[in-house]
Amino acid sequence: AAPGPVTPGPPFEPAQPPVIEGFSPSIYRTQESFKEKFIRKTRENPMVPIGCLGTAAALTYGLYCFHRGQSRRSQLMMRTRIAAQGFTVAAILLGLAASAMRSRS
């Protein structure tokens, strides 16, 4: 038996995310604001913002020392910035690993 004519569904709306049956793009039912998301992410992994602030502080102070002509201190601050960036990346990776372990159990 041949199938009947197919009636087209509603037109695709590019401004809306695609609807996939059984899939929810967010575990949260309400849309959270930037501030709420920032606070939630900071509570989940507080080391990332600390690392970001440390990186920004070392960069700022290093540039200030460079401007004042204190080349030794400026070099030290640039090395400190690299260490702070490494700390931040490690915090992100450890947070991802901890999140993956939580979702497994």
Side-chain angles (χ1 to χ4, degrees):
V6 177
T7 57
F12 175 70
E13 180 63 40
Q16 298 294 330
V19 178
I20 302 171
E21 188 176 332
F23 175 75
S24 174
S26 175
I27 60 172
Y28 302 100
R29 296 291 175 214
T30 60
Q31 189 72 16
E32 59 185 344
S33 69
F34 175 79
K35 182 179 176 183
E36 293 168 338
K37 184 174 182 178
F38 180 79
I39 291 170
R40 177 176 57 84
K41 292 285 190 177
T42 301
R43 285 188 182 142
E44 288 174 4
N45 194 356
M47 292 297 133
V48 173
I50 292 170
C52 290
L53 288 174
T55 301
L59 175 63
T60 303
Y61 188 60
L63 290 174
Y64 173 74
C65 290
F66 180 74
H67 178 71
R68 302 263 324 230
Q70 300 170 338
S71 62
R72 284 184 166 247
R73 183 160 301 207
S74 176
Q75 284 294 315
L76 176 66
M77 287 297 105
M78 291 303 113
R79 291 184 185 119
T80 304
R81 177 187 58 88
I82 297 298
Q85 283 178 309
F87 174 82
T88 305
V89 170
I92 291 170
L93 293 175
L94 289 173
L96 285 172
S99 175
M101 297 302 265
R102 266 186 264 140
S103 67
R104 272 191 186 173
S105 56

